[in-house]
Amino acid sequence: MKLLINGKPVEPHGDCRTVADLISLPEWSGRLMIIELNGEIISKENYEHILLAEGDRLELVHFVGGG
């Protein structure tokens, strides 16, 4: 399945069917973030229920600390 993540085409590996599956991948795991799917911000409570589909557009905005 091909997705557009932060403006870049991505083909997630493994069994990536939901938003929760996607953010459990090593490149996103453990980050505090806001997720927008096809122009709508989704709540964390729904990550495991929202199925991804071919061509979905996601914006994964993660927070970076610093001083």
PDB file of all heavy atoms in Angstrom, residues 20-50:
ATOM      1  N   ALA A  20      -2.575   3.075  14.244  1.00  0.00           N
ATOM      2  CA  ALA A  20      -1.795   2.541  15.372  1.00  0.00           C
ATOM      3  C   ALA A  20      -0.649   1.662  14.869  1.00  0.00           C
ATOM      4  O   ALA A  20       0.463   1.730  15.399  1.00  0.00           O
ATOM      5  CB  ALA A  20      -2.701   1.760  16.322  1.00  0.00           C
ATOM      6  N   ASP A  21      -0.901   0.841  13.847  1.00  0.00           N
ATOM      7  CA  ASP A  21       0.159   0.008  13.271  1.00  0.00           C
ATOM      8  C   ASP A  21       1.270   0.893  12.700  1.00  0.00           C
ATOM      9  O   ASP A  21       2.454   0.613  12.884  1.00  0.00           O
ATOM     10  CB  ASP A  21      -0.377  -0.878  12.145  1.00  0.00           C
ATOM     11  CG  ASP A  21      -1.367  -1.936  12.602  1.00  0.00           C
ATOM     12  OD1 ASP A  21      -1.353  -2.295  13.802  1.00  0.00           O
ATOM     13  OD2 ASP A  21      -2.163  -2.384  11.761  1.00  0.00           O
ATOM     14  N   LEU A  22       0.880   1.940  11.995  1.00  0.00           N
ATOM     15  CA  LEU A  22       1.857   2.832  11.369  1.00  0.00           C
ATOM     16  C   LEU A  22       2.763   3.484  12.403  1.00  0.00           C
ATOM     17  O   LEU A  22       3.981   3.472  12.257  1.00  0.00           O
ATOM     18  CB  LEU A  22       1.136   3.914  10.550  1.00  0.00           C
ATOM     19  CG  LEU A  22       2.043   4.933   9.876  1.00  0.00           C
ATOM     20  CD1 LEU A  22       2.833   4.285   8.746  1.00  0.00           C
ATOM     21  CD2 LEU A  22       1.231   6.109   9.352  1.00  0.00           C
ATOM     22  N   ILE A  23       2.185   4.021  13.456  1.00  0.00           N
ATOM     23  CA  ILE A  23       3.019   4.736  14.421  1.00  0.00           C
ATOM     24  C   ILE A  23       3.760   3.802  15.374  1.00  0.00           C
ATOM     25  O   ILE A  23       4.568   4.257  16.168  1.00  0.00           O
ATOM     26  CB  ILE A  23       2.234   5.816  15.193  1.00  0.00           C
ATOM     27  CG1 ILE A  23       1.140   5.209  16.047  1.00  0.00           C
ATOM     28  CG2 ILE A  23       1.705   6.869  14.238  1.00  0.00           C
ATOM     29  CD1 ILE A  23       0.506   6.204  16.996  1.00  0.00           C
ATOM     30  N   SER A  24       3.514   2.501  15.252  1.00  0.00           N
ATOM     31  CA  SER A  24       4.309   1.550  16.034  1.00  0.00           C
ATOM     32  C   SER A  24       5.582   1.141  15.294  1.00  0.00           C
ATOM     33  O   SER A  24       6.440   0.487  15.875  1.00  0.00           O
ATOM     34  CB  SER A  24       3.479   0.314  16.382  1.00  0.00           C
ATOM     35  OG  SER A  24       3.264  -0.481  15.234  1.00  0.00           O
ATOM     36  N   LEU A  25       5.705   1.540  14.024  1.00  0.00           N
ATOM     37  CA  LEU A  25       6.923   1.243  13.265  1.00  0.00           C
ATOM     38  C   LEU A  25       8.093   2.002  13.880  1.00  0.00           C
ATOM     39  O   LEU A  25       7.910   3.083  14.454  1.00  0.00           O
ATOM     40  CB  LEU A  25       6.740   1.642  11.796  1.00  0.00           C
ATOM     41  CG  LEU A  25       5.672   0.870  11.024  1.00  0.00           C
ATOM     42  CD1 LEU A  25       5.503   1.437   9.622  1.00  0.00           C
ATOM     43  CD2 LEU A  25       6.020  -0.611  10.957  1.00  0.00           C
ATOM     44  N   PRO A  26       9.309   1.455  13.776  1.00  0.00           N
ATOM     45  CA  PRO A  26      10.476   2.061  14.439  1.00  0.00           C
ATOM     46  C   PRO A  26      10.678   3.552  14.166  1.00  0.00           C
ATOM     47  O   PRO A  26      11.079   4.298  15.058  1.00  0.00           O
ATOM     48  CB  PRO A  26      11.650   1.250  13.892  1.00  0.00           C
ATOM     49  CG  PRO A  26      11.066  -0.064  13.512  1.00  0.00           C
ATOM     50  CD  PRO A  26       9.657   0.236  13.068  1.00  0.00           C
ATOM     51  N   GLU A  27      10.391   4.018  12.968  1.00  0.00           N
ATOM     52  CA  GLU A  27      10.620   5.431  12.650  1.00  0.00           C
ATOM     53  C   GLU A  27       9.673   6.386  13.373  1.00  0.00           C
ATOM     54  O   GLU A  27       9.938   7.587  13.453  1.00  0.00           O
ATOM     55  CB  GLU A  27      10.621   5.692  11.146  1.00  0.00           C
ATOM     56  CG  GLU A  27       9.420   5.153  10.401  1.00  0.00           C
ATOM     57  CD  GLU A  27       9.612   3.759   9.849  1.00  0.00           C
ATOM     58  OE1 GLU A  27       9.431   2.804  10.615  1.00  0.00           O
ATOM     59  OE2 GLU A  27       9.898   3.602   8.650  1.00  0.00           O
ATOM     60  N   TRP A  28       8.563   5.869  13.895  1.00  0.00           N
ATOM     61  CA  TRP A  28       7.587   6.725  14.581  1.00  0.00           C
ATOM     62  C   TRP A  28       7.349   6.320  16.029  1.00  0.00           C
ATOM     63  O   TRP A  28       6.771   7.076  16.804  1.00  0.00           O
ATOM     64  CB  TRP A  28       6.245   6.707  13.827  1.00  0.00           C
ATOM     65  CG  TRP A  28       6.389   7.192  12.440  1.00  0.00           C
ATOM     66  CD1 TRP A  28       6.329   6.452  11.293  1.00  0.00           C
ATOM     67  CD2 TRP A  28       6.679   8.525  12.031  1.00  0.00           C
ATOM     68  NE1 TRP A  28       6.562   7.245  10.211  1.00  0.00           N
ATOM     69  CE2 TRP A  28       6.772   8.535  10.637  1.00  0.00           C
ATOM     70  CE3 TRP A  28       6.874   9.727  12.708  1.00  0.00           C
ATOM     71  CZ2 TRP A  28       7.048   9.677   9.902  1.00  0.00           C
ATOM     72  CZ3 TRP A  28       7.142  10.867  11.986  1.00  0.00           C
ATOM     73  CH2 TRP A  28       7.228  10.839  10.601  1.00  0.00           C
ATOM     74  N   SER A  29       7.771   5.158  16.411  1.00  0.00           N
ATOM     75  CA  SER A  29       7.504   4.615  17.736  1.00  0.00           C
ATOM     76  C   SER A  29       8.042   5.510  18.853  1.00  0.00           C
ATOM     77  O   SER A  29       9.137   6.037  18.776  1.00  0.00           O
ATOM     78  CB  SER A  29       8.138   3.232  17.837  1.00  0.00           C
ATOM     79  OG  SER A  29       7.980   2.706  19.119  1.00  0.00           O
ATOM     80  N   GLY A  30       7.216   5.682  19.891  1.00  0.00           N
ATOM     81  CA  GLY A  30       7.634   6.408  21.084  1.00  0.00           C
ATOM     82  C   GLY A  30       7.602   7.920  20.981  1.00  0.00           C
ATOM     83  O   GLY A  30       8.021   8.610  21.905  1.00  0.00           O
ATOM     84  N   ARG A  31       7.107   8.450  19.897  1.00  0.00           N
ATOM     85  CA  ARG A  31       7.060   9.907  19.725  1.00  0.00           C
ATOM     86  C   ARG A  31       5.680  10.436  20.097  1.00  0.00           C
ATOM     87  O   ARG A  31       4.665   9.822  19.801  1.00  0.00           O
ATOM     88  CB  ARG A  31       7.357  10.299  18.286  1.00  0.00           C
ATOM     89  CG  ARG A  31       8.736   9.936  17.835  1.00  0.00           C
ATOM     90  CD  ARG A  31       8.955  10.449  16.443  1.00  0.00           C
ATOM     91  NE  ARG A  31      10.242  10.009  15.939  1.00  0.00           N
ATOM     92  CZ  ARG A  31      10.831  10.565  14.916  1.00  0.00           C
ATOM     93  NH1 ARG A  31      10.265  11.575  14.283  1.00  0.00           N
ATOM     94  NH2 ARG A  31      12.003  10.125  14.505  1.00  0.00           N
ATOM     95  N   LEU A  32       5.671  11.601  20.704  1.00  0.00           N
ATOM     96  CA  LEU A  32       4.423  12.303  20.981  1.00  0.00           C
ATOM     97  C   LEU A  32       4.091  13.097  19.724  1.00  0.00           C
ATOM     98  O   LEU A  32       4.909  13.888  19.252  1.00  0.00           O
ATOM     99  CB  LEU A  32       4.610  13.247  22.170  1.00  0.00           C
ATOM    100  CG  LEU A  32       3.405  14.082  22.574  1.00  0.00           C
ATOM    101  CD1 LEU A  32       2.234  13.184  22.964  1.00  0.00           C
ATOM    102  CD2 LEU A  32       3.775  14.987  23.726  1.00  0.00           C
ATOM    103  N   MET A  33       2.903  12.859  19.154  1.00  0.00           N
ATOM    104  CA  MET A  33       2.593  13.517  17.887  1.00  0.00           C
ATOM    105  C   MET A  33       1.105  13.763  17.707  1.00  0.00           C
ATOM    106  O   MET A  33       0.270  13.190  18.402  1.00  0.00           O
ATOM    107  CB  MET A  33       3.151  12.719  16.725  1.00  0.00           C
ATOM    108  CG  MET A  33       2.532  11.375  16.499  1.00  0.00           C
ATOM    109  SD  MET A  33       3.268  10.519  15.089  1.00  0.00           S
ATOM    110  CE  MET A  33       4.578   9.643  15.904  1.00  0.00           C
ATOM    111  N   ILE A  34       0.836  14.625  16.756  1.00  0.00           N
ATOM    112  CA  ILE A  34      -0.522  14.877  16.278  1.00  0.00           C
ATOM    113  C   ILE A  34      -0.579  14.311  14.866  1.00  0.00           C
ATOM    114  O   ILE A  34       0.359  14.491  14.086  1.00  0.00           O
ATOM    115  CB  ILE A  34      -0.843  16.381  16.271  1.00  0.00           C
ATOM    116  CG1 ILE A  34      -0.850  16.915  17.704  1.00  0.00           C
ATOM    117  CG2 ILE A  34      -2.172  16.651  15.568  1.00  0.00           C
ATOM    118  CD1 ILE A  34      -1.032  18.411  17.799  1.00  0.00           C
ATOM    119  N   ILE A  35      -1.672  13.637  14.548  1.00  0.00           N
ATOM    120  CA  ILE A  35      -1.797  13.012  13.230  1.00  0.00           C
ATOM    121  C   ILE A  35      -3.003  13.581  12.495  1.00  0.00           C
ATOM    122  O   ILE A  35      -4.107  13.641  13.032  1.00  0.00           O
ATOM    123  CB  ILE A  35      -1.929  11.486  13.368  1.00  0.00           C
ATOM    124  CG1 ILE A  35      -0.685  10.931  14.066  1.00  0.00           C
ATOM    125  CG2 ILE A  35      -2.122  10.843  12.000  1.00  0.00           C
ATOM    126  CD1 ILE A  35      -0.726   9.453  14.324  1.00  0.00           C
ATOM    127  N   GLU A  36      -2.737  13.972  11.270  1.00  0.00           N
ATOM    128  CA  GLU A  36      -3.793  14.443  10.377  1.00  0.00           C
ATOM    129  C   GLU A  36      -3.905  13.426   9.244  1.00  0.00           C
ATOM    130  O   GLU A  36      -2.907  13.070   8.622  1.00  0.00           O
ATOM    131  CB  GLU A  36      -3.412  15.821   9.824  1.00  0.00           C
ATOM    132  CG  GLU A  36      -4.446  16.413   8.912  1.00  0.00           C
ATOM    133  CD  GLU A  36      -3.991  17.756   8.375  1.00  0.00           C
ATOM    134  OE1 GLU A  36      -3.951  18.726   9.151  1.00  0.00           O
ATOM    135  OE2 GLU A  36      -3.662  17.811   7.171  1.00  0.00           O
ATOM    136  N   LEU A  37      -5.112  12.955   8.994  1.00  0.00           N
ATOM    137  CA  LEU A  37      -5.373  11.979   7.944  1.00  0.00           C
ATOM    138  C   LEU A  37      -6.327  12.594   6.931  1.00  0.00           C
ATOM    139  O   LEU A  37      -7.461  12.947   7.280  1.00  0.00           O
ATOM    140  CB  LEU A  37      -5.960  10.693   8.532  1.00  0.00           C
ATOM    141  CG  LEU A  37      -6.414   9.623   7.559  1.00  0.00           C
ATOM    142  CD1 LEU A  37      -5.240   9.091   6.739  1.00  0.00           C
ATOM    143  CD2 LEU A  37      -7.094   8.493   8.298  1.00  0.00           C
ATOM    144  N   ASN A  38      -5.846  12.745   5.720  1.00  0.00           N
ATOM    145  CA  ASN A  38      -6.651  13.310   4.636  1.00  0.00           C
ATOM    146  C   ASN A  38      -7.306  14.632   5.033  1.00  0.00           C
ATOM    147  O   ASN A  38      -8.482  14.870   4.780  1.00  0.00           O
ATOM    148  CB  ASN A  38      -7.694  12.303   4.158  1.00  0.00           C
ATOM    149  CG  ASN A  38      -7.057  11.052   3.589  1.00  0.00           C
ATOM    150  OD1 ASN A  38      -6.013  11.111   2.946  1.00  0.00           O
ATOM    151  ND2 ASN A  38      -7.657   9.912   3.844  1.00  0.00           N
ATOM    152  N   GLY A  39      -6.531  15.475   5.723  1.00  0.00           N
ATOM    153  CA  GLY A  39      -6.994  16.813   6.064  1.00  0.00           C
ATOM    154  C   GLY A  39      -7.728  16.948   7.379  1.00  0.00           C
ATOM    155  O   GLY A  39      -8.143  18.039   7.739  1.00  0.00           O
ATOM    156  N   GLU A  40      -7.910  15.844   8.106  1.00  0.00           N
ATOM    157  CA  GLU A  40      -8.617  15.904   9.388  1.00  0.00           C
ATOM    158  C   GLU A  40      -7.736  15.375  10.510  1.00  0.00           C
ATOM    159  O   GLU A  40      -7.157  14.289  10.394  1.00  0.00           O
ATOM    160  CB  GLU A  40      -9.891  15.073   9.341  1.00  0.00           C
ATOM    161  CG  GLU A  40     -10.951  15.646   8.424  1.00  0.00           C
ATOM    162  CD  GLU A  40     -12.269  14.903   8.552  1.00  0.00           C
ATOM    163  OE1 GLU A  40     -12.610  14.450   9.659  1.00  0.00           O
ATOM    164  OE2 GLU A  40     -12.952  14.784   7.535  1.00  0.00           O
ATOM    165  N   ILE A  41      -7.658  16.129  11.607  1.00  0.00           N
ATOM    166  CA  ILE A  41      -6.909  15.673  12.776  1.00  0.00           C
ATOM    167  C   ILE A  41      -7.696  14.553  13.433  1.00  0.00           C
ATOM    168  O   ILE A  41      -8.915  14.652  13.602  1.00  0.00           O
ATOM    169  CB  ILE A  41      -6.672  16.829  13.755  1.00  0.00           C
ATOM    170  CG1 ILE A  41      -5.754  17.866  13.110  1.00  0.00           C
ATOM    171  CG2 ILE A  41      -6.084  16.323  15.066  1.00  0.00           C
ATOM    172  CD1 ILE A  41      -5.535  19.108  13.923  1.00  0.00           C
ATOM    173  N   ILE A  42      -7.000  13.476  13.775  1.00  0.00           N
ATOM    174  CA  ILE A  42      -7.673  12.356  14.417  1.00  0.00           C
ATOM    175  C   ILE A  42      -7.211  12.247  15.873  1.00  0.00           C
ATOM    176  O   ILE A  42      -6.080  12.573  16.197  1.00  0.00           O
ATOM    177  CB  ILE A  42      -7.453  11.036  13.655  1.00  0.00           C
ATOM    178  CG1 ILE A  42      -5.972  10.742  13.473  1.00  0.00           C
ATOM    179  CG2 ILE A  42      -8.140  11.085  12.315  1.00  0.00           C
ATOM    180  CD1 ILE A  42      -5.702   9.415  12.825  1.00  0.00           C
ATOM    181  N   SER A  43      -8.112  11.787  16.717  1.00  0.00           N
ATOM    182  CA  SER A  43      -7.779  11.677  18.135  1.00  0.00           C
ATOM    183  C   SER A  43      -7.071  10.356  18.407  1.00  0.00           C
ATOM    184  O   SER A  43      -7.318   9.344  17.748  1.00  0.00           O
ATOM    185  CB  SER A  43      -9.034  11.802  19.003  1.00  0.00           C
ATOM    186  OG  SER A  43      -9.887  10.718  18.775  1.00  0.00           O
ATOM    187  N   LYS A  44      -6.212  10.397  19.416  1.00  0.00           N
ATOM    188  CA  LYS A  44      -5.406   9.235  19.780  1.00  0.00           C
ATOM    189  C   LYS A  44      -6.279   8.017  20.083  1.00  0.00           C
ATOM    190  O   LYS A  44      -5.899   6.887  19.784  1.00  0.00           O
ATOM    191  CB  LYS A  44      -4.541   9.592  20.983  1.00  0.00           C
ATOM    192  CG  LYS A  44      -3.555   8.556  21.368  1.00  0.00           C
ATOM    193  CD  LYS A  44      -2.660   9.047  22.481  1.00  0.00           C
ATOM    194  CE  LYS A  44      -1.609   8.016  22.816  1.00  0.00           C
ATOM    195  NZ  LYS A  44      -0.667   8.481  23.818  1.00  0.00           N
ATOM    196  N   GLU A  45      -7.434   8.235  20.657  1.00  0.00           N
ATOM    197  CA  GLU A  45      -8.338   7.140  21.003  1.00  0.00           C
ATOM    198  C   GLU A  45      -8.794   6.347  19.774  1.00  0.00           C
ATOM    199  O   GLU A  45      -9.234   5.209  19.892  1.00  0.00           O
ATOM    200  CB  GLU A  45      -9.577   7.657  21.740  1.00  0.00           C
ATOM    201  CG  GLU A  45      -9.284   8.312  23.064  1.00  0.00           C
ATOM    202  CD  GLU A  45      -8.836   9.759  22.945  1.00  0.00           C
ATOM    203  OE1 GLU A  45      -9.224  10.456  21.979  1.00  0.00           O
ATOM    204  OE2 GLU A  45      -8.059  10.188  23.818  1.00  0.00           O
ATOM    205  N   ASN A  46      -8.708   6.963  18.595  1.00  0.00           N
ATOM    206  CA  ASN A  46      -9.191   6.308  17.378  1.00  0.00           C
ATOM    207  C   ASN A  46      -8.092   5.672  16.533  1.00  0.00           C
ATOM    208  O   ASN A  46      -8.399   5.040  15.521  1.00  0.00           O
ATOM    209  CB  ASN A  46      -9.957   7.319  16.519  1.00  0.00           C
ATOM    210  CG  ASN A  46     -11.234   7.761  17.181  1.00  0.00           C
ATOM    211  OD1 ASN A  46     -11.911   6.971  17.834  1.00  0.00           O
ATOM    212  ND2 ASN A  46     -11.568   9.024  17.039  1.00  0.00           N
ATOM    213  N   TYR A  47      -6.834   5.808  16.918  1.00  0.00           N
ATOM    214  CA  TYR A  47      -5.723   5.305  16.102  1.00  0.00           C
ATOM    215  C   TYR A  47      -5.875   3.830  15.738  1.00  0.00           C
ATOM    216  O   TYR A  47      -5.612   3.436  14.608  1.00  0.00           O
ATOM    217  CB  TYR A  47      -4.379   5.499  16.803  1.00  0.00           C
ATOM    218  CG  TYR A  47      -3.888   6.922  16.919  1.00  0.00           C
ATOM    219  CD1 TYR A  47      -2.727   7.187  17.617  1.00  0.00           C
ATOM    220  CD2 TYR A  47      -4.570   7.993  16.360  1.00  0.00           C
ATOM    221  CE1 TYR A  47      -2.245   8.488  17.745  1.00  0.00           C
ATOM    222  CE2 TYR A  47      -4.106   9.285  16.496  1.00  0.00           C
ATOM    223  CZ  TYR A  47      -2.943   9.526  17.186  1.00  0.00           C
ATOM    224  OH  TYR A  47      -2.476  10.802  17.313  1.00  0.00           O
ATOM    225  N   GLU A  48      -6.290   3.005  16.687  1.00  0.00           N
ATOM    226  CA  GLU A  48      -6.366   1.568  16.413  1.00  0.00           C
ATOM    227  C   GLU A  48      -7.604   1.178  15.604  1.00  0.00           C
ATOM    228  O   GLU A  48      -7.684   0.069  15.085  1.00  0.00           O
ATOM    229  CB  GLU A  48      -6.297   0.758  17.697  1.00  0.00           C
ATOM    230  CG  GLU A  48      -7.460   0.972  18.629  1.00  0.00           C
ATOM    231  CD  GLU A  48      -7.269   0.242  19.946  1.00  0.00           C
ATOM    232  OE1 GLU A  48      -6.268   0.502  20.625  1.00  0.00           O
ATOM    233  OE2 GLU A  48      -8.137  -0.583  20.265  1.00  0.00           O
ATOM    234  N   HIS A  49      -8.553   2.105  15.457  1.00  0.00           N
ATOM    235  CA  HIS A  49      -9.796   1.798  14.734  1.00  0.00           C
ATOM    236  C   HIS A  49      -9.807   2.345  13.309  1.00  0.00           C
ATOM    237  O   HIS A  49     -10.660   1.946  12.517  1.00  0.00           O
ATOM    238  CB  HIS A  49     -10.994   2.362  15.488  1.00  0.00           C
ATOM    239  CG  HIS A  49     -11.077   1.880  16.902  1.00  0.00           C
ATOM    240  ND1 HIS A  49     -11.368   0.579  17.228  1.00  0.00           N
ATOM    241  CD2 HIS A  49     -10.864   2.518  18.079  1.00  0.00           C
ATOM    242  CE1 HIS A  49     -11.347   0.435  18.544  1.00  0.00           C
ATOM    243  NE2 HIS A  49     -11.037   1.604  19.084  1.00  0.00           N
ATOM    244  N   ILE A  50      -8.893   3.250  13.000  1.00  0.00           N
ATOM    245  CA  ILE A  50      -8.899   3.882  11.681  1.00  0.00           C
ATOM    246  C   ILE A  50      -8.024   3.093  10.727  1.00  0.00           C
ATOM    247  O   ILE A  50      -6.809   2.982  10.912  1.00  0.00           O
ATOM    248  CB  ILE A  50      -8.440   5.349  11.765  1.00  0.00           C
ATOM    249  CG1 ILE A  50      -9.435   6.133  12.611  1.00  0.00           C
ATOM    250  CG2 ILE A  50      -8.304   5.948  10.379  1.00  0.00           C
ATOM    251  CD1 ILE A  50      -9.056   7.568  12.846  1.00  0.00           C
TER     252      ILE A  50
END
